């Protein structure tokens, strides 16, 4: 443990991922397991992504769990952990290569406050779609069946006035979710959403959201709580704007 602590403390700032390989350890003393969990927390606080390589059901894995280790941070062996790190680095490099603004899942307005374990659970239910500029992502009047998280690019929300004209409501940037009203009332889409640029979105279907209530209830509850908070903030903002307008009119 002392050697691990010394090596991790000496890591240069350029290191973004850290893998602790315990796959060959038959057991870990409780105090040592606690120190490893504390080390992981310290490295995560420093901005690094930390993963353990070990069998979850082993004696070692059980000791780590009792010490507070998150199973979402565990991979079966060092090869699997290295492959995961490489894929993560490649995905981030690809997202940055086109110079467009982008956001991670942790930065989404409806996912703030979710820890890594909850985000990892949610990620298994998401589908990533890369769409070209001009794509009609949501059409007004169509049935609502998906929630979208905008990871890259920008989209415009607009309404059809009924006389052939369109009214632009707003432009959404990465980090913003849209389509969440479908989770509240199940009504048809109330506006069009069109990609201004090439975009990447994470899509959560309502069926998969319902499944999360059974497979990952903490994720399901946190997501609904954040949606409620977001809608409440919008209502308060609308009330302030209406009050401001009526004051001016008076």
């Amino acid at each position: 443990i002392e050697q691990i602590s010394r090596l991790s403390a000496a890591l240069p700032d350029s290191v973004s991922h850290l893998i602790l390989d315990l796959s060959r350890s038959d057991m870990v003393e409780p105090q040592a397991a606690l120190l490893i969990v504390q080390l992981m927390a310290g490295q995560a606080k420093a901005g690094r992504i930390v993963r353990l390589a070990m069998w979850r059901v082993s004696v070692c894995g059980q000791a780590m769990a009792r010490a507070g280790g998150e199973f979402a941070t565990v991979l079966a062996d060092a090869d699997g952990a290295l492959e995961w790190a490489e894929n993560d680095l490649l995905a981030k490099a690809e997202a940055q290569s086109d110079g467009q603004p982008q956001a991670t899942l942790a930065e989404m307005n409806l996912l703030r406050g979710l820890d890594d374990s909850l985000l990892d659970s949610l990620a298994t239910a998401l589908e990533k779609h890369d769409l070209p500029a001009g794509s009609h992502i949501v059409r007004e009047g169509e049935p609502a069946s998906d929630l979208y998280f905008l990871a890259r690019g920008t989209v415009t929300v607009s309404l059809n006035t009924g006389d052939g004209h369109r009214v632009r409501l707003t432009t959404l940037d990465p980090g913003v979710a849209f389509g969440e009203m479908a989770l509240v009332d199940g009504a048809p889409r109330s506006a069009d959403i069109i990609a201004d640029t090439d975009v990447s979105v994470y899509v959560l279907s309502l069926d998969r959201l319902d499944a999360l209530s059974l497979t990952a209830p903490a994720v399901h509850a946190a997501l609904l709580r954040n949606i409620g908070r977001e809608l409440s903030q919008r209502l308060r903002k609308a009330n302030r704007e209406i009050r401001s307008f009526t004051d001016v009119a008076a």
Side-chain angles (χ1 to χ4, degrees):
I1 300 302
E2 292 180 1
Q3 185 178 7
I4 293 176
S5 297
R6 286 197 302 270
L7 290 173
S8 61
L11 290 174
D13 293 339
S14 58
V15 174
S16 60
H17 294 63
L18 179 62
I19 298 170
L20 301 179
D21 184 8
L22 302 179
S23 58
R24 298 182 182 180
S25 299
D26 294 330
M27 63 176 295
V28 175
E29 294 294 332
Q31 185 61 30
L34 180 60
L35 289 174
I36 292 174
V37 170
Q38 292 172 347
L39 183 149
M40 292 174 62
Q43 291 295 319
K45 189 175 181 180
R48 295 188 177 96
I49 300 175
V50 186
R51 291 295 184 266
L52 284 173
M54 67 178 186
W55 287 103
R56 301 182 184 186
V57 296
S58 65
V59 174
C60 178
Q62 293 171 9
M64 292 299 300
R66 286 192 294 269
E70 291 287 350
F71 275 162
T73 65
V74 176
L75 294 102
D77 54 39
D79 288 340
L82 287 170
E83 182 179 2
W84 174 88
E86 290 171 356
N87 290 339
D88 189 56
L89 287 168
L90 287 172
K92 290 178 178 178
E94 181 181 355
Q96 294 173 352
S97 63
D98 58 9
Q100 289 191 32
Q102 58 183 327
T104 65
L105 284 180
E107 296 169 324
M108 298 294 169
N109 62 327
L110 295 186
L111 303 180
R112 290 174 187 149
L114 274 69
D115 60 27
D116 286 346
S117 62
L118 296 182
L119 289 172
D120 286 348
S121 296
L122 175 63
T124 63
L126 299 175
E127 292 184 0
K128 184 181 179 184
H129 294 177
D130 295 315
L131 305 170
S135 295
H136 222 126
I137 304 173
V138 169
R139 291 182 183 272
E140 183 179 354
E142 287 189 345
S145 59
D146 299 301
L147 170 63
Y148 298 86
F149 299 94
L150 183 59
R152 180 177 63 94
T154 61
V155 300
T156 289
V157 184
S158 61
L159 283 175
N160 187 343
T161 62
D163 58 2
H165 293 86
R166 305 206 60 79
V167 176
R168 175 189 170 279
L169 300 180
T170 188
T171 294
L172 304 180
D173 296 316
V176 176
F178 55 90
E180 67 276 12
M181 289 298 295
L183 311 184
V184 178
D185 57 13
R189 298 296 191 188
S190 59
D192 285 341
I193 300 181
I194 299 174
D196 299 321
T197 65
D198 293 347
V199 301
S200 295
V201 293
Y202 291 102
V203 183
L204 177 63
S205 70
L206 297 189
D207 288 340
R208 291 194 173 187
L209 175 65
D210 289 340
L212 284 175
S213 65
L214 299 176
T215 61
V219 176
H220 185 266
L223 183 55
L224 292 184
R225 184 167 57 250
N226 285 349
I227 290 173
R229 184 181 297 113
E230 181 74 14
L231 295 179
S232 175
Q233 290 173 351
R234 290 184 193 175
L235 180 58
R236 291 178 186 276
K237 179 181 178 183
N239 287 342
R240 288 194 298 269
E241 291 175 349
I242 293 173
R243 187 176 296 109
S244 175
F245 175 77
T246 55
D247 289 345
V248 171

